[in-house]
Amino acid sequence: MRNLGELKGQPVASRMLERYRSGHPPPLLGFHGPDGTGKWSAAEAFIQQGMCEVGTGCGVCPACRKILRGDHPDFIRFPEERVLIGETQNPDEFTVRWLLNTRLCYTPFDGSVRFVLFPRADLIQHEAETALRKTLEEPPEQTRFIFLVRSLDDLKQTIVSRGVAIPFQLLP
């Protein structure tokens, strides 16, 4: 799926995402619902449309081609594994300190917005989640976070309260 118009069976999520896509999206979107309901595809389409040079997720502009190749510098996609806080000095890649110290402290490299996707936000460890909370309270103006979880109960309430929940339901 390259654009949100292709999202089927999720009318509430689709309406909310279209509204945020055409306006100014909040700093944190929490896509929640059972596996297999389109959260992942919707997140990727939302990000691609948000970074597309023509705003449609065209697939042919330089930004879309970089996203499709997986090498857009302003699309930070964490792996589907535990997310740790990281060492204070020289943190490993894809730890929260790596994100804060080497990515979020700079403006986007290639466009006007940066997206950070946590495909398994439920795997963000306690210390990492606590460190990230401060950034979510006062996020960089040009950064948007997307957390994917089965249930909002998988996240701390202090994280959930800083974002907008986008519900995904089982398909009939």
Side-chain angles (χ1 to χ4, degrees):
M1 171 180 5
R2 279 196 300 206
N3 69 58
L4 294 170
E6 298 172 25
L7 181 61
K8 303 294 183 213
Q10 301 295 340
V12 174
S14 187
R15 275 194 309 273
M16 291 177 79
L17 291 172
E18 280 295 340
R19 186 178 80 220
Y20 289 130
R21 190 186 69 74
S22 61
H24 188 72
L28 172 61
L29 294 172
F31 292 32
H32 64 97
D35 290 341
T37 55
K39 297 184 304 278
W40 182 275
S41 297
E44 288 187 325
F46 184 80
I47 290 165
Q48 186 167 341
Q49 283 185 267
M51 298 180 96
C52 176
E53 293 174 10
V54 294
T56 62
C58 69
V60 295
C61 72
C64 282
R65 288 196 316 266
K66 287 178 186 176
I67 290 169
L68 294 171
R69 284 192 314 262
D71 64 3
H72 197 296
D74 298 323
F75 176 24
I76 303 164
R77 183 182 157 288
F78 273 71
E80 293 183 69
E81 56 192 41
R82 280 186 329 152
V83 177
L84 303 173
I85 190 168
E87 298 296 324
T88 304
Q89 300 294 323
N90 301 317
D92 289 335
E93 223 175 42
F94 297 108
T95 61
V96 168
R97 285 192 175 132
W98 167 83
L99 177 68
L100 300 176
N101 297 340
T102 68
R103 297 298 185 267
L104 300 189
C105 58
Y106 301 106
T107 59
F109 295 102
D110 220 12
S112 61
V113 67
R114 167 191 307 114
F115 283 92
V116 180
L117 175 64
F118 288 91
R120 289 288 313 270
D122 57 309
L123 296 179
I124 301 173
Q125 300 298 289
H126 174 73
E127 285 182 323
E129 195 173 35
T130 300
L132 192 56
R133 185 177 60 216
K134 177 66 174 159
T135 300
L136 294 173
E137 288 172 1
E138 298 173 21
E141 177 62 31
Q142 68 280 6
T143 301
R144 302 291 173 266
F145 294 89
I146 298 179
F147 284 13
L148 306 183
V149 292
R150 290 183 187 106
S151 170
L152 292 177
D153 294 336
D154 294 336
L155 298 173
K156 288 186 171 125
Q157 186 56 40
T158 54
I159 299 290
V160 173
S161 69
R162 283 157 179 72
V164 173
I166 308 289
F168 285 77
Q169 308 296 322
L170 285 173
L171 301 176

